[in-house]
Amino acid sequence: MTESIAPRDDFIYRVPTTLRNPHFNRDDSYNPKRPWTQHIMGYPRFAAFIANDEDRSTTIYRRFERLSARNLLYLETELQELEASQDQLDAASGVDSDLASSMQSLEELNMLGKWGSEGSQNSFGRVPGVDAKFPQMHSSHARVRNNRDWFLGEAAQARLQVAAKIRVVLREYYEFLKLESDILALNNPDKRTLKGVRKVFKNELDGEEHASMVSGRMESHLDDEKDLCVLAPPVIRDRLTKLLEGRLAFLFRTRTPGGVTEIVSHKTVATVVSIISTLAAVAFLIGAILGLHFVTNSNAQLAMLSFLTVAFAGSLGLLTNARRQDVFAATAAYAAVLVVFISANIGPNNGNCNCPVT
């Protein structure tokens, strides 16, 4: 008789301390500035890197456009075969008047299909109930009639089965078409973001070549740039945002309890860009008004107007994504406001006329 072994309540306390530590999987590559490195190398670490991005700009995946196109072609071919089969069955419906009549009524076609299913359960094609009540109806005439009913039933079932198959495949085809349309609508990843994700994926952040974070066929995950898409909503970055996230990125890195990370806070950058844009707009409007107010010399006013107009147009062209026609329209409106201000002759001597009295 075997003795049962009772579970020990102190088993959890005998587990090694490293296994109870949530960060037991930290290895020599752990870096407090990179929060995702606290996870074990491989899929866990790369998934943590993607999830750690607050803007979700690192949610980059493959579209598999070639496989998707091939799948749609297979479904289309299958539908073409079903279409040809249905056309052949429609053309053959004229051999019997009842079968041709069933093409005008789905109820009648379903009724003929039930005859075929009932006849298939009888080895001689007899109709259940009728043979039991009239056992003498086993003549050749009865078998010919039942054979015709069986033929009509089988023909109707064939047409119903093709229609049902078309319904299933056509629905699958439309679903894949809709999904393919949604996938193609996704944007390609930003080149700068993709470059950074590749460095993380291939462990090249330190400037040294290491083994890829994920091995196997997944190593080519980010190789085909044309086949990649990003799930995050599109973010239109102007030139000022690109400047701050590029050369001045060290000013906008996120902070963690372990220190400053290497991840740029895009929300902070967006806030700074909004502040700079607001201050620039105020400077070009209020500053121009104050400057033209205190400058009374007409030549100096024209020079200031020209300088402000050029500076305004340059700021729009260099720091924003405004189109050329938008830059022209905004600059013309800005210059018109300044011209109206100058023509009004608003200044310290406004209203004082030194004209000689006649």
Side-chain angles (χ1 to χ4, degrees):
M1 182 177 181
T2 59
E3 182 180 358
S4 60
I5 301 177
R8 296 185 56 177
D9 297 334
D10 61 341
F11 175 77
I12 189 173
Y13 300 104
R14 293 186 292 106
V15 175
T17 306
T18 55
L19 295 181
R20 297 199 302 270
N21 188 344
H23 303 312
F24 74 93
N25 45 20
R26 290 178 176 173
D27 50 24
D28 295 338
S29 62
Y30 171 70
N31 188 341
K33 297 182 179 181
R34 303 167 187 169
W36 61 88
T37 57
Q38 67 182 350
H39 299 273
I40 192 171
M41 181 68 71
Y43 286 97
R45 178 171 296 186
F46 190 58
F49 166 74
I50 295 176
N52 197 68
D53 182 17
E54 59 182 9
D55 297 319
R56 300 297 181 262
S57 59
T58 58
T59 54
I60 302 174
Y61 303 95
R62 286 188 58 187
R63 289 191 177 95
F64 291 98
E65 292 182 351
R66 182 171 58 87
L67 295 181
S68 179
R70 187 169 180 174
N71 181 53
L72 286 174
L73 290 175
Y74 282 156
L75 288 174
E76 185 176 348
T77 302
E78 189 173 355
L79 283 173
Q80 288 179 347
E81 294 179 353
L82 290 172
E83 183 182 26
S85 299
Q86 192 174 60
D87 292 341
Q88 292 176 359
L89 292 175
D90 291 342
S93 299
V95 298
D96 188 273
S97 59
D98 291 338
L99 189 59
S101 177
S102 66
M103 295 293 97
Q104 302 177 7
S105 173
L106 182 60
E107 292 80 2
E108 186 174 350
L109 185 64
N110 287 325
M111 184 178 299
L112 292 179
K114 292 181 180 180
W115 289 1
S117 61
E118 292 175 353
S120 61
Q121 298 176 1
N122 192 305
S123 58
F124 293 99
R126 305 169 185 171
V127 180
V130 176
D131 292 331
K133 188 174 182 180
F134 303 100
Q136 69 276 11
M137 294 179 61
H138 290 303
S139 62
S140 59
H141 177 72
R143 281 195 290 270
V144 169
R145 185 197 62 185
N146 291 337
N147 287 338
R148 179 176 178 276
D149 293 343
W150 175 84
F151 164 74
L152 292 177
E154 290 296 319
Q157 280 190 359
R159 286 154 177 77
L160 292 173
Q161 290 174 0
V162 171
K165 182 64 175 178
I166 290 176
R167 185 180 299 114
V168 174
V169 179
L170 190 61
R171 179 176 180 178
E172 184 179 3
Y173 178 70
Y174 283 160
E175 289 177 351
F176 274 106
L177 277 181
K178 178 60 177 177
L179 290 174
E180 179 69 5
S181 176
D182 295 340
I183 294 298
L184 293 179
L186 296 175
N187 294 321
N188 293 329
D190 181 72
K191 291 185 177 180
R192 180 174 297 174
T193 303
L194 179 59
K195 182 178 179 181
V197 175
R198 281 173 174 170
K199 287 184 177 181
V200 174
F201 186 73
K202 296 183 180 297
N203 285 327
E204 297 177 353
L205 287 178
D206 299 327
E208 301 179 0
E209 294 185 0
H210 301 280
S212 180
M213 190 175 295
V214 179
S215 60
R217 296 189 180 275
M218 192 63 179
E219 291 185 14
S220 60
H221 167 53
L222 301 173
D223 291 350
D224 190 358
E225 183 175 351
K226 296 181 180 179
D227 196 41
L228 298 177
C229 63
V230 59
L231 303 185
V235 178
I236 302 177
R237 291 182 170 87
D238 52 26
R239 294 179 178 87
L240 179 58
T241 302
K242 294 179 180 179
L243 174 63
L244 297 180
E245 292 181 352
R247 298 185 180 277
L248 302 179
F250 63 93
L251 299 175
F252 305 99
R253 300 189 187 279
T254 58
R255 295 181 178 273
T256 61
V260 180
T261 68
E262 296 180 350
I263 300 176
V264 177
S265 176
H266 300 288
K267 292 183 179 179
T268 305
V269 173
T271 302
V272 173
V273 170
S274 299
I275 294 174
I276 294 176
S277 301
T278 303
L279 294 177
V282 172
F284 276 110
L285 292 176
I286 305 301
I289 292 175
L290 293 177
L292 294 174
H293 176 76
F294 291 105
V295 176
T296 58
N297 186 277
S298 60
N299 293 330
Q301 287 180 340
L302 291 177
M304 183 177 293
L305 186 148
S306 301
F307 172 77
L308 290 173
T309 302
V310 173
F312 181 80
S315 64
L316 287 179
L318 295 177
L319 301 181
T320 67
N321 287 333
R323 298 175 298 178
R324 185 178 305 170
Q325 57 268 29
D326 296 334
V327 174
F328 288 158
T331 304
Y334 178 73
V337 172
L338 298 184
V339 169
V340 171
F341 184 83
I342 293 176
S343 63
N345 195 20
I346 300 177
N349 298 324
N350 185 34
N352 299 328
C353 182
N354 296 327
C355 299
V357 178
T358 57

